Amino acid sequence: MKIDQLARKTVRELTPYQSARRLGGSGDIWLNANESPFANEYNIKCDRLNRYSTCQPTELIETYADYASVRPEQVLTSRGADEGIELLIRAFCEPNQDSILYCPPTYGMYAISAETFDVNNKTVPLTKDWQLDLEGIRENLDGVKLVFVCSPNNPTGNLIKRQDIESLLDMTQGKALVVVDEAYIDFCLEATAANMLDQYPNLVVLRTLSKAFALAGLRCGFTLANAEVIELLLKVIAPYPVPVPVTDIAVQALSPAGRAKTKFQVLDISANRAYLQAGLGMLEGVTVYEGYGNYLLVKFPDADALFSALWDHGIILRRSPIENCIRISIGSRDECEKTLAFIREQLAKN
């Protein structure tokens, strides 16, 4: 018997998530993974590497709880927010029985994580203005245990209306958890749903240090939920999910000095986003959608041709499943200027 025949049928047939690194490319400007352009320095201690880490390091949990304005018992840390997605599916969904529901266009890992565990996917597309179709969701809740909502949404960049999230939470009380993915919320903290945790026992919020905190390579994420949910997730998490150096660096990033640096860098990225949005918006035939994260979704007359030209020139962006759209991460001012100049030059040729 061949090795692949030993694998589960679901895994054999699964199409993996096409991350920016898997898609490859070569060049000098990388604006395809919503990474920060800042590379900050940290002190790493090596005197505890011979010992296993604590499953949920107290200092890290308390520091993030303070940052997110929640209680420590409402915080779980994991290997990125992606692990939080998997933990929720493993803890709350029976394979080949339960479903998750998500609203495309949105982050692709919700579907892939569910498929990996033989959990069904239900989709209710966003409306034409990329908001929740509440009636469509209501009609598709049978068998659904988790409803994923991304805000700011990836790849569209828009915020989901708070009142719609509240309506969804009311609609799913006692039936399902609503998981609000806030990977990009640090660019617009005033829009967080985390301040509704005490009001809604079925609310879960996903966070990460990968974006605004410029720590994509650290793989440190957080799940915010009420204590009953956190206790269930702790039953299925790996024994030592947070390496010692990850804790050390994350605590430094979340210190008062680290938060101040992040706030300054967020302002810098937001200014670059405004610059790119204004510049692209002046080009004929180009539509720039309002973005609240560290990226913009942009519609071009011929996105495929432009994307290929950029790729060949060493400017690596991200194709979107939305017709004729490209997602552009916000880099340094120099990267934004060079990207804008090349796009302007290419469009002028046509």
Side-chain angles (χ1 to χ4, degrees), residues 61-293:
I61 295 296
E62 291 180 347
T63 303
Y64 197 82
D66 179 69
Y67 171 73
S69 298
V70 299
R71 296 186 297 278
E73 61 267 26
Q74 294 175 313
V75 180
L76 178 140
T77 186
S78 62
R79 291 167 287 200
D82 289 327
E83 187 179 23
I85 295 169
E86 291 197 355
L87 291 172
L88 287 162
I89 293 171
R90 287 167 56 198
F92 288 94
C93 297
E94 290 286 354
N96 299 307
Q97 179 177 320
D98 293 329
S99 302
I100 70 162
L101 187 150
Y102 63 97
C103 304
T106 192
Y107 185 40
M109 273 307 296
Y110 311 137
I112 291 173
S113 294
E115 290 172 19
T116 301
F117 296 111
D118 287 317
V119 170
N120 300 319
N121 283 303
K122 288 188 177 184
T123 60
V124 177
L126 296 174
T127 63
K128 63 181 180 180
D129 57 348
W130 292 329
Q131 293 297 325
L132 298 178
D133 177 359
L134 290 173
E135 284 310 306
I137 293 173
R138 187 189 306 274
E139 293 169 2
N140 284 274
L141 282 178
D142 286 349
V144 169
K145 289 290 188 68
L146 301 169
V147 180
F148 287 93
V149 175
C150 190
S151 183
N153 187 43
N154 177 15
T156 59
N158 65 290
L159 290 168
I160 301 299
K161 296 175 183 176
R162 183 181 178 91
Q163 61 266 34
D164 287 355
I165 294 175
E166 292 176 335
S167 295
L168 181 58
L169 285 161
D170 288 330
M171 183 193 308
T172 54
Q173 284 269 22
K175 301 176 183 177
L177 299 183
V178 173
V179 185
V180 181
D181 186 343
E182 293 189 344
Y184 302 95
I185 201 67
D186 304 283
F187 296 95
C188 49
L189 276 171
E190 68 281 357
T192 184
N195 51 21
M196 294 193 286
L197 280 174
D198 289 339
Q199 183 180 354
Y200 291 101
N202 59 326
L203 172 62
V204 179
V205 176
L206 297 176
R207 295 279 193 88
T208 182
L209 298 185
S210 294
K211 313 301 180 183
F213 281 88
L215 288 171
L218 195 68
R219 308 309 301 130
C220 184
F222 299 89
T223 301
L224 311 181
N226 287 296
E228 187 177 6
V229 173
I230 298 297
E231 288 168 8
L232 290 167
L233 298 183
L234 285 170
K235 292 185 176 184
V236 296
I237 199 169
Y240 312 107
V242 188
V244 170
V246 170
T247 297
D248 289 344
I249 292 172
V251 167
Q252 291 173 60
L254 291 162
S255 69
R259 292 187 209 179
K261 180 181 290 186
T262 294
K263 186 175 182 179
F264 172 80
Q265 292 174 353
V266 163
L267 291 172
D268 191 284
I269 291 169
S270 297
N272 291 344
R273 183 184 65 206
Y275 163 81
L276 196 58
Q277 183 172 0
L280 290 170
M282 295 171 64
L283 302 178
E284 185 177 353
V286 174
T287 300
V288 186
Y289 296 100
E290 188 76 16
Y292 290 84

